Amino acid sequence: MEKIKILLLGIILFSSCKNEVPAPAPVGPIPTENQIKWQEMEFYGFVHFNINSFTNQEWSYGDQPPELFNPSELDAKQWAKVAKEAGMKGIILTVKHHDGFCLWPSEFTNYSVKNSPWKNGEGDVVKYLAEACEEYGLKMGIYLSPWDRNHADYGRPEYIAYMRNQLTELLTNYGDIFEVWFDGANGGDGYYGGANETRKIDKLNYYDWENTYKIIRELQPGAVIFGHDLRWVGNEHGFAYETTWSPLLKDAPYDEKYSMGHENGTHWVPAESDVSIRPGWFYHESENDKVKSLEHLLNIYYKSVGQNSTLLLNLPVDKRGLVHENDEKQLKKLVAQLKEDFANNLALNKKISATNVRGGVLRFDSGNAIDGKKDTYWATDDNVNKASITIDFGEPKEINRLVIQEYIKLGQRIKKFSVEAEVNGEWLTVDKQTTIGYKRILRFETLKASKLRINIDDAKGCILISNIEIYNAPAVVDAAKIIRNKEGIVSLDVPASDVEVYYTTDGEDPDFESDKYIKPFIVNKPTTIKSFTFDKATNRKSDVVTKNFDISKKNWEVKIANNSGELSAIDDNVFSHYNSKPGNGAKEIVIDLGKTESVYGFSYTPSQDRYPKNIVTHYSFYGSSDAKNWELLSKGEFSNIEANTVLQKIGFKKSFDIRYLKLVADKISNDSKIMTVAEIGVITSK
């Protein structure tokens, strides 16, 4: 009996020792509590709204009169309701953009809503949104542009006091702020109180960021700071990278690796992906039919939230002061599809095992990865940075989504992982990837698998996985891609061969009585094509997509260019581009339209490469009837084009009859000596 007691005591002591196995030590930098709360928001909204919304501009000069700001139906509660129903967790408002106009009655400037006719100068957009966010359970953030094209003192020391006074107003009078957003656009031409000049600043030192940040820390200790606590993802497409590290070497030069983060980073500065639901950031009536498709929005979600980033999706409030119904419609489709994609977690209550468990104790067991709790995790022993974890479904299940998360409170560790599925008794490789971080979502072809195995192939220290989810998302019926070539031949391309495509060419919405697409057809004149796809097998219908074409480029010729690839500028294919060569003529291109046309404007599309270069940022556009005598038709700036490389449309105040056009690059990104053109077009109808 005594021996049994001693044996039982030994088992208890042994078990007690095992349960005291310490948690893994942190690896690299770790997030603050504010950063964790922010990351867990995952998806939140941007609202761009100010004088630009009434002037059809993206960046205004700072000289537009406050009287232009006069929304007829402004309803911040409608914004909050739309955001809440879309699954967003907060809203960041552009309280002051580069033009300097303030959406609150700041006591430090006259350039604000207090001098507009809206509500007789008694309105306060920031206040109304703060109240709406509180009512709908949303967090609120502010975008305050450091650059101010209106203020007379911009570029001088006095302006910093002005900016900080306004920052103090915003952080004092409107409740809790979850994020303060400072834009990276700083300095350039502006009104500047009537000076009408270009002012350049040292953006690293001019704002004395260290002391500016202290104001935020003191007044809003729960806020994260864009550009300090988190970083820009490096583009305005809404896409993070397949390799995205949250650690960052803060002193590293800004390039694509900065956007991706650094494996050996010394500071925790995670990525935020910003993108607009339309081509532009501010409202333009001409973009009412250019709201991103469901397929596009889904890709954005999976490539941002699903690639270790948060998603900041912009809603350009219209001239009424409302989120437009087309934008709201697409958001509802997005949230409905995401709910279907993640409706049934097939990993719940399934058998799970791992090749290594830290100390062999329950506290770090593999089951923690599927228990639905964010503060539990599977961990391996300190000397184990390669291991596998397997979910057994018990019977074959159709699967096509994997969600996996690291326990980031102790750092980001995974450098490389792979996924395998057991199908009909054979293990097949599903995917091979690099980083995980806070959240990684993989999409793959539907498999009927009995088991799924995740192999951590390399990590910076032992492995910590807090969550694994597995789903079978329904297929999305993709809309057709409407494509026209230089000869005017239009194709409606869909990836699936067993679907029907219906379309119209008169601008009316198509239905099942409309033309069914059988073969390509010719469109040479200005035409609006609308189309949808229908899958008879599932009875699912795609979004209606719209494509507006102007005259075809069938008879166009490039007359003067300085590279043999000049036809790429007029082939009606934005994924090819013309690059000039250094030397004479490197910054201009001349095109013969084939005959005289009445032109109301022109368009320019920069390179659509992942990392575009040689973008025309400032231009002069000329027209001629004989290619000898040229008339300047327009001169200006493609606002924000380096960050948002979308089609630029420039309208004229009147039409001009021309046969030849000439685009001159007055300024090119990175002060390049050569220009890149994906497409040049003309606008021949209002």
Side-chain angles (χ1 to χ4, degrees):
M1 191 65 168
E2 191 64 29
K3 288 182 179 180
I4 293 174
K5 288 181 179 179
I6 293 172
L7 180 60
L8 288 172
L9 180 61
I11 292 172
I12 292 170
L13 288 172
F14 177 72
S15 176
S16 175
C17 288
K18 293 194 72 168
N19 280 325
E20 290 177 1
V21 173
V27 169
I30 60 175
T32 65
E33 192 63 32
N34 283 353
Q35 288 172 319
I36 290 171
K37 290 178 180 178
W38 165 83
Q39 188 98 52
E40 289 175 347
M41 290 176 68
E42 297 189 1
F43 178 32
Y44 42 98
F46 224 170
V47 168
H48 275 62
F49 182 57
N50 76 350
I51 276 186
N52 293 345
S53 309
F54 300 87
T55 61
N56 201 33
Q57 294 175 288
E58 283 289 299
W59 290 7
S60 52
Y61 196 64
D63 59 348
Q64 300 288 354
E67 290 79 12
L68 291 175
F69 185 86
N70 193 19
S72 58
E73 305 173 47
L74 190 143
D75 185 358
K77 289 185 179 181
Q78 187 252 3
W79 312 353
K81 181 175 182 289
V82 169
K84 184 73 172 182
E85 291 177 349
M88 295 177 175
K89 300 299 190 297
I91 296 176
I92 298 175
L93 175 65
T94 55
V95 297
K96 186 187 82 167
H97 204 252
H98 312 322
D99 52 85
F101 184 79
C102 299
L103 292 182
W104 79 103
S106 174
E107 68 174 279
F108 300 101
T109 182
N110 289 322
Y111 200 48
S112 81
V113 290
K114 69 184 180 184
N115 284 316
S116 75
W118 175 61
K119 291 189 176 294
N120 297 316
E122 299 297 321
D124 186 339
V125 182
V126 183
K127 175 186 175 184
Y128 299 152
L129 182 57
E131 292 171 348
C133 285
E134 184 175 5
E135 179 176 337
Y136 281 89
L138 299 171
K139 296 183 178 181
M140 181 167 164
I142 58 167
Y143 166 119
L144 182 68
S145 173
W147 184 21
D148 192 318
R149 301 174 93 170
N150 171 268
H151 202 278
D153 286 333
Y154 182 78
R156 302 167 183 153
E158 293 84 354
Y159 174 76
I160 303 307
Y162 168 75
M163 186 183 80
R164 288 175 177 167
N165 284 334
Q166 290 196 319
L167 182 62
T168 299
E169 283 182 318
L170 292 163
L171 300 183
T172 303
N173 299 327
Y174 298 101
D176 291 338
I177 300 297
F178 84 90
E179 182 173 337
V180 179
W181 218 97
F182 293 117
D183 200 291
N186 291 279
D189 56 352
Y191 175 69
Y192 302 128
N196 295 314
E197 61 188 18
T198 297
R199 295 181 182 177
K200 296 182 179 180
I201 55 97
D202 176 0
K203 65 181 181 180
L204 294 178
N205 299 303
Y206 172 62
Y207 300 105
D208 184 16
W209 285 120
E210 183 179 352
N211 287 308
T212 300
Y213 294 155
K214 285 179 180 178
I215 297 171
I216 301 172
R217 295 292 188 231
E218 178 183 349
L219 298 177
Q220 292 287 342
V224 290
I225 304 169
F226 181 80
H228 183 66
D229 300 319
L230 54 130
R231 70 179 190 271
W232 184 44
V233 80
N235 64 73
E236 292 183 354
H237 306 309
F239 296 165
Y241 306 84
E242 290 193 345
T243 298
T244 299
W245 289 97
S246 292
L248 188 72
L249 291 166
K250 274 196 170 181
D251 295 330
Y254 191 91
D255 58 15
E256 63 187 74
K257 290 183 179 179
Y258 181 99
S259 302
M260 296 165 66
H262 302 106
E263 179 185 326
N264 61 337
T266 54
H267 296 74
W268 188 272
V269 190
E272 177 183 76
S273 300
D274 60 328
V275 63
S276 183
I277 199 168
R278 295 169 174 236
W281 288 94
F282 285 95
Y283 175 77
H284 308 286
E285 187 176 356
S286 63
E287 294 179 355
N288 283 348
D289 62 353
K290 295 179 177 62
V291 182
K292 289 180 170 58
S293 68
L294 172 60
E295 178 192 11
H296 195 162
L297 290 172
L298 281 170
N299 281 334
I300 287 170
Y301 181 87
Y302 279 106
K303 291 185 178 183
S304 56
V305 176
Q307 292 188 162
N308 193 34
S309 171
T310 59
L311 171 56
L312 177 57
L313 179 63
N314 180 62
L315 307 176
V317 167
D318 65 21
K319 290 185 285 187
R320 298 171 299 175
L322 302 174
V323 174
H324 194 275
E325 45 269 31
N326 291 3
D327 304 39
E328 182 179 5
K329 177 183 174 182
Q330 290 307 99
L331 281 173
K332 286 181 176 178
K333 289 182 179 180
L334 173 64
V335 71
Q337 185 66 46
L338 289 173
K339 284 180 179 177
E340 288 191 61
D341 284 8
F342 302 109
N344 182 22
N345 181 4
L346 299 172
L348 285 176
N349 303 315
K350 296 301 186 290
K351 183 179 179 182
I352 187 167
S353 59
T355 56
N356 183 276
V357 173
R358 185 176 184 82
V361 300
L362 196 60
R363 180 182 173 194
F364 304 109
D365 189 65
S366 57
N368 294 337
I370 58 171
D371 66 1
K373 300 176 182 177
K374 64 182 180 182
D375 287 325
T376 62
Y377 51 90
W378 162 54
T380 63
D381 289 314
D382 283 335
N383 61 343
V384 177
N385 66 347
K386 294 182 180 181
S388 297
I389 188 167
T390 303
I391 295 99
D392 186 343
F393 302 119
E395 60 182 3
K397 296 284 186 182
E398 288 191 340
I399 59 172
N400 55 27
R401 299 286 188 277
L402 170 66
V403 178
I404 183 167
Q405 297 179 262
E406 290 187 71
Y407 187 73
I408 61 169
K409 289 184 178 181
L410 294 177
Q412 185 179 351
R413 300 158 180 261
I414 308 303
K415 297 164 63 175
K416 186 166 58 175
F417 72 103
S418 58
V419 181
E420 298 174 289
E422 188 183 62
V423 179
N424 297 325
E426 181 181 356
W427 284 100
L428 306 176
T429 299
V430 174
D431 204 349
K432 293 183 177 180
Q433 289 295 342
T434 53
T435 51
I436 294 175
Y438 168 74
K439 179 175 282 189
R440 189 69 188 268
I441 308 175
L442 300 185
R443 293 182 287 178
F444 46 89
E445 293 294 326
T446 302
L447 299 168
K448 198 165 187 178
S450 301
K451 298 176 183 177
L452 192 76
R453 182 163 64 206
I454 302 164
N455 306 304
I456 308 301
D457 300 313
D458 195 8
K460 300 192 304 177
C462 66
I463 298 160
L464 278 70
I465 300 295
S466 65
N467 186 45
I468 295 172
E469 301 169 14
I470 301 168
Y471 298 92
N472 182 36
V476 176
V477 179
D478 294 338
K481 289 181 173 62
I482 306 174
I483 303 167
R484 186 176 72 171
N485 66 15
K486 186 177 185 296
E487 304 304 311
I489 299 173
V490 173
S491 301
L492 307 184
D493 293 347
V494 291
S497 59
D498 55 348
V499 296
E500 297 176 344
V501 180
Y502 296 86
Y503 71 97
T504 60
T505 57
D506 59 3
E508 296 294 321
D509 285 342
D511 56 29
F512 290 107
E513 300 299 318
S514 302
D515 291 335
K516 184 189 289 189
Y517 177 71
I518 304 297
K519 62 180 181 180
F521 52 94
I522 299 290
V523 169
N524 283 321
K525 62 182 181 180
T527 303
T528 296
I529 299 176
K530 293 189 175 185
S531 170
F532 72 84
T533 303
F534 179 67
D535 182 2
K536 291 186 291 186
T538 61
N539 203 37
R540 292 169 70 99
K541 179 182 171 184
S542 77
D543 291 338
V544 172
V545 293
T546 302
K547 186 82 173 194
N548 294 306
F549 291 110
D550 210 288
I551 57 173
S552 75
K553 302 174 183 177
K554 180 179 180 179
N555 298 316
W556 290 24
E557 293 182 10
V558 176
K559 302 302 292 184
I560 302 176
N562 127 327
N563 193 338
S564 60
E566 67 270 7
L567 281 178
S568 293
I570 57 169
D571 63 358
D572 245 338
N573 177 12
V574 298
F575 299 106
S576 66
H577 57 253
Y578 156 72
N579 282 325
S580 66
K581 291 181 178 178
N584 187 36
K587 293 188 176 183
E588 65 178 51
I589 185 169
V590 176
I591 294 169
D592 179 359
L593 304 180
K595 65 175 184 177
T596 299
E597 301 280 0
S598 291
V599 174
Y600 289 89
F602 79 98
S603 63
Y604 164 71
T605 305
S607 166
Q608 299 300 292
D609 286 353
R610 188 69 177 87
Y611 306 108
K613 298 178 180 179
N614 310 323
I615 298 168
V616 179
T617 61
H618 294 70
Y619 68 88
S620 293
F621 186 85
Y622 299 84
S624 174
S625 60
D626 57 8
K628 295 179 181 178
N629 300 295
W630 294 96
E631 180 180 0
L632 178 65
L633 307 184
S634 182
K635 183 180 181 67
E637 171 188 17
F638 296 125
S639 299
N640 200 36
I641 192 172
E642 290 184 72
N644 197 24
T645 54
V646 298
L647 168 71
Q648 306 289 312
K649 283 191 172 184
I650 304 297
F652 306 147
K653 292 181 179 179
K654 64 175 186 176
S655 66
F656 295 91
D657 293 336
I658 64 171
R659 173 165 176 167
Y660 300 89
L661 64 84
K662 176 165 63 175
L663 177 67
V664 177
D666 296 329
K667 186 176 180 182
I668 302 173
S669 61
N670 300 318
D671 294 322
S672 176
K673 303 299 182 184
I674 63 175
M675 68 188 291
T676 296
V677 178
E679 281 298 311
I680 292 178
V682 293
I683 302 169
T684 62
S685 59
K686 286 187 177 180

